[in-house]
Every structure is written in C-alpha cells, then in structure tokens.
Amino acid sequence: MNPTVARLTVRGLLGRRRGILLLVVPAVLLVISLLARGSGQDKHDLAASILGQLSLGTLVPILGLVVGTGVIATEIDDGSIVYLLSKPLPRWQIITTKLAVAIATTWAFAALPTLLAGLIVYGPGDGLAVGYAVGALVSGAVYSALFLLLGVATRHAVVAGLAYALVWESLVGNYVDGARTLSVQQWGLSVARSVASDGMINSDVALGTAVPLLIGVAVAATVAASVKLAGLTLVSEE
Amino acid sequence: MAVITIDKVSRWFGNVVAVNDISMRIGPGVTGLLGPNGAGKSTLIHMMSGFLGPSAGEVTLDGAPIWRNQQVYRQIGLVPERESMYDYLTGWEFVLANAELHGLTDPGAAARRALALVEMEYAQDRKAGTYSKGMKQRVKMASALVHDPDVLLLDEPFNGMDPRQRLQLMELLRRFGADGRTVLFSSHILEEVEQLARHIEVVVAGRHAASGDFRKIRRLMTDRPHRYLVRSSDDRKLAAALIADGSTAGIELDGQEKALRIQAVNFQGFTTLLPKVAQQAGIRLYTVSPADESLESVFSYLVST
C-alpha cells in the first residue's frame, strides 16, 4: 500500500462526476427494495430476485466495472499515469494499492447497500441479508481485480467488461449450465449460501469449488495487472 | 555524470519503422533533439524515459537498462508532452504527491524548492485544471525536478508557451546544463534549438541525420543548394546574366509557370547577387520565392548528404 497512490486514486475516483454515478447503484437498489417490501409478495422470492439477480447479478458487476477500470484506465487513457510510473515504485505496489481502493469502494457502494436491501426486504432472519452481503463482498472484490486487469490490459476496458458482465454472466450463465461454474456471480452466491441458513440461497457451484476459484482469479488478475503495468507502453502522439 | 547511451536502437510498430538503427550518446549539458514532426523524436524520448521498449538495440543510463527498470527514475526527471495531469489537484498538491512518490525524506521542502525554481508559488494553490498551458508546463517541470535528478528529459517543452515563458524555461534549462546535469529536449523548431543547445542530434524519418555542434550543422543547412522561383520582366535575359556568376549552379526556364527555376550554390551569395544583376540589366523582379525552405526539405537534405 502506498498512501500517496491511494490518496490520488480516491480523489480521482470519487472527486469527479463518477462519484455521483457511483451513488446511483445503491440508490436504485434501496428504492427497489422499499417498493418491493410494500408489494406484499413472498419475501423469500423477492430476496432471491432483488439480492441474487439484481444486486449480485447486475449491480455488483457493473459497479465493479466502473470502479475497477476507474481506478486506473482513466489515468492510462489521459496519460497522467506517467507521473505514477516515472517513480521508483514497484509496479505491484501501485496495482495492489489501486485494487484496495477499488475493493473498498465496491464494498461501500455495493456490498453495504446489499445488506441494507436485504434487511429491508427480508429482515435480519435466517442469515439471508448477511449471506447476500457476504456474497457481494467476495464477488465485488474479484470483479474489482478482474476489471482492474482489464483497465491495464486494454484500451477498451469498459466495453470488454460490459461484454463479460452482461453477455457471459447474465446471458450465457442463464442458458448454459456449465458456464455457471465459471461465473463470479455463482461463486459469490455459493459463499452466500454457506453463510445463510440451509435452503435460503441457491447456487450451482459448490463452496469447495467457488472459494479456490475466487482466490485464484483475484490473485492471478492482480499478478497479471502488475506485470502488464511494468511493461506499459505509452503510445507516442506522432 | 549521467550519460544516456542509445546503442543501435530500432523501434517498429507493426510495419512502420519509427526509429531506425540509431546510436547516440547524451551527456551532461543541454542537448537538443531536432527533427520534423513524425521523425521519431517522441519515440526516442519514450524509450529514454522507459515507457517504450526498443525493438532492437539497447537504451541505457550509465550502463543500466532503462526499459523495465524503475530504479532509473531516481536519476531521471521527465516532462511529458501530453498536458494531462491530475487536474483536480492544486499545483502544490501535485508537486508534493510527486515528491512523496519518490520517497523523499522531506517531501514538503522538496516541493517548495521545486515550485520556487519554476516560479510558480504564486499559483500553487489553484487547481491544475485552471492553469494556462505555460503554467502547466512549469508545474510539470517542478514535478520532474522535485527529486533533484541528474537527467532531465523534455518532450517538446516549448509547445504552446508564450515568448516570455519560453525565455524563462530556456534560462532554467541553460542553468541546469551549466550545473552539469544531462538535459535533453526535443523540438521541431530550428530557432528554439539554436537558442538553447550547443549540441544537437537531428532525427529525420526515423534515422539519425546529424550529430554534433550546432553551428557546424547550421552551416551544413545553409550551405546546401537553394532553389528559387523567380519571375521578372525578362526571364531569359535575367537567366543569361545570372548564369555567368559562380553562385548559380543551374537555371531552368519554366514555360508553364512562366518563371525561372534557379538553383543557387550558396545562400548568402545568391541573395545579394540577384537584385544587383537585375538592376544592372534593367530587369524588374516580380517574384522571388525560395522553393524549398520548409524545415522538412532542410532535414532531408541533411539526410542525403
């Protein structure tokens, strides 16, 4: 962790219009939860669709995308990353610091609202709200690492990330069973299931598969991003 | 003593060769890297500052490779061409952050010293986003100088500066050079380089065209054959009178343009000769225009010799 890199990253991430954009995600979730609570439908079904599908399935990946790419892709795009890179700082330190900022932001703007939404829709019982929140914590962290790597590796990070989040996680995951094993959302749900009471949350992936995959992907993405940053080529303007 | 050595370096992007087998040695003092736009200056500076790996050859600082070696930044200060910095920071915050990133023991003092050096204290509490181009350039300078580097690399530092700021920056760079630091700046403007650097390296179309003392290269540039397009009241008579003189190498009567195409041997001689000859022969000159005075043609002449 480098405090200066962290400070610059936080200010860049939250200081501009993106800060307001980030607030939209939890706001949407909480408003929908409040509306749903008044609808009188089955609490458990509501929790599964709002927390499982909307939050873990869509809002967490989108927030992870905005934050994960936002902590570095913007700087690479406008060239200001030069000021971080022209220093005798180990590249992995820059990456892990930015990752820590991304994860903390994802937690604050996605995992915490998921917990609140769970309490609103279902109440504190059966470990359901906490379960989904923990699921959002772990999947949010992995999304941050993945999208941070995308931000370093490609100039089209947001498009590539959206393609992954929407096409793979939402579409393919819904129709092709095998694809769910390779879905961050399902890994998150698997962890959520283990936290909540039995039978409260469904997931297609066993915990013994999900945890190594979560850790493996996060670590691999972080290492890859560090290596990639060390060899970052700035395109000359000529 | 910090020396950057570029040893048989080439860099290509796909099929395009941006830098073609260049070797040069940049030592203490101010060196100008001169060349037309697109010649490969930025590519070279990017390689010297560790943001681009050479496709072939090696770029080193005092023997240590620069590419993928973060330790060189203890010695290198970099002023990039792109304007973008952290616009949401004030000048002070920006320079201070740079000092902290260098791991200096007293970043505050270093930042104060650097901002004083570029005379930007008066605006240090304003957000960088509100700065003019020249002010940004100076704050970028301060961020590059904050760790007191031996080497200073500047990519087109005078772009967008007004004449006063230009003079100020030149004075600053001259001082650094005199201190024994290695200062390299790129420019596509001959006059800028002439004012600041005694030693120059000329790059044209990715190749190393010339290297050495500025005055020698300048002479090469002015002693080349010059071409002029001349229209007068009697082209044929003027041509006859001119060809007799040694400073004219060839004359062509261009029937289509209704003009003379004259190749002069030396610049000084011809420009004094032409009006004299015309006057003596009672010929009026309508047009006298140099046909190849663009910088590119000056450069390409250098390459072909």
Side-chain angles (χ1 to χ4, degrees), chain A residues 2 4-5 7-9 11-13 16 75-91 98 155 227 230-238, chain B residues 37-43 46 50-53 67-68 70-71 73-74 76 78 80-82 84-86 88-89 93-94 96-98 100-102 127 140 143:
Chain A
N2 180 302
T4 310
V5 175
R7 202 177 68 226
L8 291 175
T9 306
R11 290 189 65 171
L13 189 62
R16 289 178 277 189
E75 275 168 271
I76 294 179
D77 267 353
D78 71 12
S80 53
I81 192 88
V82 168
Y83 297 101
L84 289 189
L85 294 182
S86 61
K87 304 290 182 292
L89 283 177
R91 291 345 187 196
K98 284 183 173 288
R155 303 240 148 184
V227 171
L232 189 77
T233 291
L234 291 186
V235 184
S236 85
E237 293 200 335
E238 289 188 338
Chain B
N37 283 325
K41 300 189 300 295
S42 279
T43 306
H46 276 144
F51 286 105
L52 196 61
W67 176 234
R68 287 179 184 271
Q70 301 120 33
Q71 293 310 314
Y73 296 117
R74 293 187 191 285
I76 294 181
L78 183 65
E81 183 184 8
R82 287 179 78 164
S84 51
M85 34 196 275
Y86 294 86
Y88 47 89
L89 298 181
E93 289 169 331
F94 177 70
L96 181 67
N98 276 280
E100 289 171 359
L101 290 170
H102 270 293
K127 288 241 155 71
K140 276 157 61 180
S143 79

Side-chain angles (χ1 to χ4, degrees), chain A:
Chain A
M1 279 288 281
N2 180 302
T4 310
V5 175
R7 202 177 68 226
L8 291 175
T9 306
V10 169
R11 290 189 65 171
L13 189 62
L14 304 180
R16 289 178 277 189
R17 258 169 293 165
R18 201 185 289 107
I20 300 165
L21 191 73
L22 290 178
L23 279 173
V24 171
V25 170
V28 165
L29 191 62
L30 294 179
V31 166
I32 289 177
S33 305
L34 284 170
L35 291 176
R37 190 163 87 148
S39 74
Q41 287 180 42
D42 179 56
K43 285 201 299 186
H44 184 258
D45 289 351
L46 279 178
S49 55
I50 293 179
L51 303 176
Q53 281 172 16
L54 181 65
S55 178
L56 257 71
T58 311
L59 296 183
V60 174
I62 286 182
L63 202 93
L65 175 66
V66 173
V67 171
T69 55
V71 292
I72 199 157
T74 328
E75 275 168 271
I76 294 179
D77 267 353
D78 71 12
S80 53
I81 192 88
V82 168
Y83 297 101
L84 289 189
L85 294 182
S86 61
K87 304 290 182 292
L89 283 177
R91 291 345 187 196
W92 60 262
Q93 208 178 54
I94 299 178
I95 291 293
T96 49
T97 304
K98 284 183 173 288
L99 179 61
V101 171
I103 290 176
T105 312
T106 313
W107 286 358
F109 289 88
L112 186 65
T114 301
L115 178 68
L116 294 177
L119 293 175
I120 292 171
V121 173
Y122 195 84
D126 300 326
L128 188 118
V130 175
Y132 278 116
V134 172
L137 284 181
V138 292
S139 56
V142 174
Y143 281 126
S144 299
L146 264 181
F147 293 135
L148 179 64
L149 168 63
L150 267 186
V152 182
T154 159
R155 303 240 148 184
H156 312 289
V158 173
V159 176
L162 269 181
Y164 169 80
L166 296 180
V167 177
W168 183 260
E169 294 265 348
S170 305
L171 218 65
V172 179
N174 278 338
Y175 296 107
V176 185
D177 282 347
R180 285 185 215 170
T181 318
L182 291 179
S183 146
V184 180
Q185 181 196 353
Q186 292 299 330
W187 304 343
L189 284 173
S190 173
V191 174
R193 182 182 56 193
S194 70
V195 172
S197 307
D198 284 348
M200 295 311 294
I201 298 174
N202 290 322
S203 166
D204 298 327
V205 185
L207 189 67
T209 313
V211 170
L213 281 172
L214 283 165
I215 295 172
V217 166
V219 171
T222 307
V223 171
S226 305
V227 171
K228 201 78 194 156
L229 190 67
L232 189 77
T233 291
L234 291 186
V235 184
S236 85
E237 293 200 335
E238 289 188 338

Side-chain angles (χ1 to χ4, degrees), chain B residues 17-82:
Chain B
V17 179
V19 165
N20 191 348
D21 195 26
I22 288 184
S23 295
M24 55 173 80
R25 190 180 159 281
I26 318 282
V30 181
T31 301
L33 182 61
L34 179 66
N37 283 325
K41 300 189 300 295
S42 279
T43 306
L44 266 176
I45 289 203
H46 276 144
M47 288 194 283
M48 288 187 236
S49 47
F51 286 105
L52 196 61
S55 306
E58 210 180 13
V59 185
T60 53
L61 171 62
D62 293 337
I66 292 178
W67 176 234
R68 287 179 184 271
N69 177 11
Q70 301 120 33
Q71 293 310 314
V72 297
Y73 296 117
R74 293 187 191 285
Q75 268 181 285
I76 294 181
L78 183 65
V79 183
E81 183 184 8
R82 287 179 78 164

